[in-house]
Amino acid sequence: MPRLRGRIVVPGDRLPPEVKGPEEYLVRIGDAVTPAVVGLLESGSKPSFVPLTSIYIPSPGDVVIGLIESQGVMNWFVDINSPYQAVLNVQDFLKRQYNPAIDDLSRFLQIGDYIIAKVQSFDRTRNPVLTVSEEGLGRIVEGKVVEISPAKVPRVIGRKGSMVNSLKELTGCDFLVAVNGRIHVRCPNEDLEAISILAIKMIEREAHTTGLTNRVKRFVEEEKKLRGV
Amino acid sequence: MTVKHAGLRLIDEKGLRHDGRRPDELRPVAMRVGVLSNADGSALFEIGKTKVLAAVYGPREPPQRHTMLPDRAVLRVRYHMAPFSTMDRKSPAPSRREIELSKVIREALEPVVIAELYPRTAIDVFVEVLQADGGTRTAGVTAASLALADAGIPMKGLVAGVAVGKVDGVIVLDVDELEDSAGEADLPIAAAPDIGLITLFQLNGVLSRQELEEAVEMGLSAIRRLVDMEKETLRSSVTVMPGE
């Protein structure tokens, strides 16, 4: 039976004053500190608060996986799993001038396409602007995209990338974990792809428990045996 | 409007209420979170025969851009009674009372929601009364508070509400429909005890200063118990492992 990595705390609970954690999810009223969302208090020499839910707020430089939702005259509107809809300008995508009289936007990106993009600018007064003009960015043409809560992204990556690296070794798949809670999975075959997705969902579900890396390893190995891969 | 119930005794000779409760006793309470998979957060709250469902969506871009606020998220609350929630069919169209209660519930939640984190967005709270037997507005506040926490909306503390009343000259906790309609006063209160805030305070009827103090004390004590139950509900929703 897996154990919790700490104590579950909820809004209104008292936390130790020296607690560390994301400041937007810690409420300080005088000397009292309380979590703003449900989370885990990991005690030890340095108590830390880990939120179990979070809402993705873009920050310039973030690599995100976006879903094309609609198109304008000169841009696409992209869902980046955030309260704010992002914009991708067509010149940025084409890397040349765009003439709406000649070019048809839907030839390049269609509604429902996924893209890997970088947040170019965002300051909460205007919606985030994306760019795909760097190496490794652009339309996703193969594999699958899995969506998890952005709060669980650090657990999928693991300490110094331990979790995602062990998943890579065990499955032979390639994972791109974006900060907005979307993961691009590319695998040699469909069975490994299904195992990888199930493993990611398991990490999301059990992120607050101990011994997760070993359980995930066991799960992947058993599934591989069952499926004969 | 007060409906007169001639000859009805709401407190018996032992000091118990018509349903056998002591004056300071809540009706049986049940809470659940995550009851709707399509919503970002949801909760079902039952107190006696009153059942209220709350669903939270957002923060998200509001469809009407003029409702956006440049410095914080706008909290939008819709309180609605299902047509089957009362003995006689209730028209599903929003009534004057429902519009008012939507505002009252919104104002009871606004002081705890940290809306400044999400400017130019909207947080939608839908409060649906499935079965009404008194105390629906305070049950709505409690359900909405749980649903907001379930949705991961940052809050300074949890809110709960309860209606205190006066029947047959006695101050009683958590009035039901009969006590509300036949009683002498009804005092719905909501509070966030962890940050020392009363967020809803209404009075229908007449209470002396001493009675008011007694009623508020009784209400706040019950709210502290309800908030503790909310916390336990949220904790157990996380600690229960999948498949158990």
Side-chain angles (χ1 to χ4, degrees):
Chain A
M1 167 89 185
R3 287 197 1 250
L4 290 173
R5 289 166 66 209
R7 185 162 62 90
I8 301 287
V9 287
V10 300
D13 281 346
R14 281 288 183 99
L15 300 182
E18 68 277 15
V19 67
K20 295 274 183 286
E23 280 304 312
E24 67 270 31
Y25 293 128
L26 290 171
V27 182
R28 294 176 196 274
I29 303 170
D31 290 340
V33 187
T34 177
V37 292
V38 178
L40 210 59
L41 179 67
E42 295 179 344
S43 45
S45 55
K46 287 178 190 164
S48 66
F49 171 69
V50 182
L52 287 181
T53 57
S54 74
I55 294 159
Y56 174 65
I57 299 299
S59 176
D62 283 354
V63 173
V64 295
I65 294 178
L67 173 68
I68 306 293
E69 273 196 326
S70 59
Q71 63 179 47
V73 179
M74 300 287 280
N75 46 29
W76 289 279
F77 297 102
V78 189
D79 164 27
I80 54 164
N81 199 19
S82 162
Y84 305 100
Q85 193 180 44
V87 177
L88 174 66
N89 290 316
V90 64
Q91 282 100 334
D92 183 274
F93 186 85
L94 295 179
K95 300 177 185 74
R96 62 166 168 86
Q97 280 300 310
Y98 169 75
N99 184 349
I102 303 164
D103 293 315
D104 175 14
L105 269 189
S106 57
R107 270 184 52 221
F108 312 111
L109 280 178
Q110 292 190 339
I111 292 166
D113 280 350
Y114 277 105
I115 56 163
I116 301 170
K118 195 177 239 183
V119 179
Q120 194 170 46
S121 63
F122 178 62
D123 63 1
R124 298 200 183 204
T125 60
R126 285 166 187 271
N127 279 14
V129 176
L130 301 178
T131 175
V132 289
S133 59
E134 283 179 30
E135 185 80 29
L137 307 179
R139 189 162 78 92
I140 292 177
V141 291
E142 58 173 341
K144 284 221 168 116
V145 172
V146 190
E147 196 167 306
I148 59 165
S149 161
K152 308 290 170 68
V153 165
R155 197 74 171 117
V156 172
I157 295 169
R159 224 165 251 156
K160 293 180 183 166
S162 61
M163 183 72 88
V164 75
N165 286 338
S166 91
L167 269 181
K168 272 182 196 172
E169 274 175 31
L170 287 163
T171 60
C173 301
D174 206 28
F175 299 89
L176 184 125
V177 187
V179 282
N180 61 334
R182 290 195 181 133
I183 302 165
H184 179 211
V185 185
R186 279 186 304 169
C187 291
N189 62 53
E190 279 186 5
D191 279 320
L192 288 168
E193 190 177 77
I195 295 170
S196 303
I197 292 168
L198 287 171
I200 290 166
K201 287 291 174 189
M202 179 180 174
I203 300 166
E204 185 190 22
R205 252 190 343 258
E206 302 181 20
H208 52 291
T209 58
T210 55
L212 184 56
T213 313
N214 287 337
R215 281 205 309 286
V216 170
K217 274 184 190 169
R218 268 204 309 276
F219 169 78
V220 173
E221 278 159 3
E222 279 168 19
E223 281 291 318
K224 277 167 70 175
K225 256 187 221 165
L226 275 173
R227 293 166 192 249
V229 283
Chain B
M1 191 178 78
T2 305
V3 180
K4 296 290 174 199
H5 293 260
L8 181 69
R9 285 190 64 191
L10 293 169
I11 304 282
D12 68 13
E13 58 282 351
K14 289 181 191 159
L16 298 177
R17 294 151 75 176
H18 75 98
D19 55 0
R21 279 187 291 156
R22 295 187 310 275
D24 62 346
E25 198 176 335
L26 287 169
R27 290 175 283 177
V29 171
M31 300 178 183
R32 270 173 67 198
V33 292
V35 290
L36 301 173
S37 54
N38 281 356
D40 294 318
S42 58
L44 180 66
F45 176 64
E46 298 178 33
I47 186 159
K49 291 180 196 156
T50 294
K51 291 185 189 193
V52 178
L53 182 69
V56 170
Y57 294 81
R60 58 187 183 182
E61 281 193 32
Q64 302 99 346
R65 295 178 71 85
H66 68 272
T67 59
M68 281 180 181
L69 295 173
D71 59 340
R72 63 185 189 277
V74 60
L75 189 66
R76 302 188 300 184
V77 176
R78 188 191 83 145
Y79 165 97
H80 182 252
M81 290 180 86
F84 52 82
S85 63
T86 48
M87 297 291 260
D88 301 320
R89 178 182 179 273
K90 190 237 155 235
S91 162
S95 63
R96 182 211 58 80
R97 177 180 170 276
E98 284 169 306
I99 294 165
E100 181 200 322
L101 293 194
S102 301
K103 174 187 181 286
V104 164
I105 295 172
R106 172 170 56 78
E107 289 175 349
L109 298 168
E110 271 174 341
V112 295
V113 173
I114 310 173
E116 298 76 26
L117 288 175
Y118 310 110
R120 303 187 297 114
T121 65
I123 299 166
D124 290 315
V125 181
F126 297 93
V127 174
E128 191 74 17
V129 178
L130 302 178
Q131 188 164 275
D133 185 31
T136 58
R137 79 188 66 189
T138 50
V141 171
T142 311
S145 166
L146 266 174
L148 282 165
D150 184 47
I153 306 290
M155 296 161 84
K156 292 176 191 163
L158 298 171
V159 191
V162 73
V164 188
K166 183 181 171 188
V167 291
D168 288 351
V170 179
I171 300 297
V172 294
L173 182 67
D174 183 23
V175 289
D176 62 16
E177 185 63 40
L178 179 67
E179 291 172 327
D180 186 20
S181 56
E184 294 135 61
D186 173 35
L187 176 81
I189 314 174
D194 291 312
I195 53 168
L197 268 185
I198 291 177
T199 61
L200 185 155
F201 195 93
Q202 294 182 298
L203 174 61
N204 181 18
V206 179
L207 292 176
S208 70
R209 179 181 282 259
Q210 199 183 356
E211 286 169 338
L212 183 71
E213 281 173 8
E214 189 190 338
V216 171
E217 186 56 44
M218 195 183 266
L220 291 179
S221 159
I223 286 169
R224 278 191 285 273
R225 295 204 300 273
L226 286 169
V227 166
D228 285 345
M229 284 179 185
E230 283 185 43
K231 288 180 179 177
E232 214 35 63
T233 305
L234 289 168
R235 276 194 202 102
S236 56
S237 76
V238 176
T239 49
V240 173
M241 293 298 296
E244 277 184 36

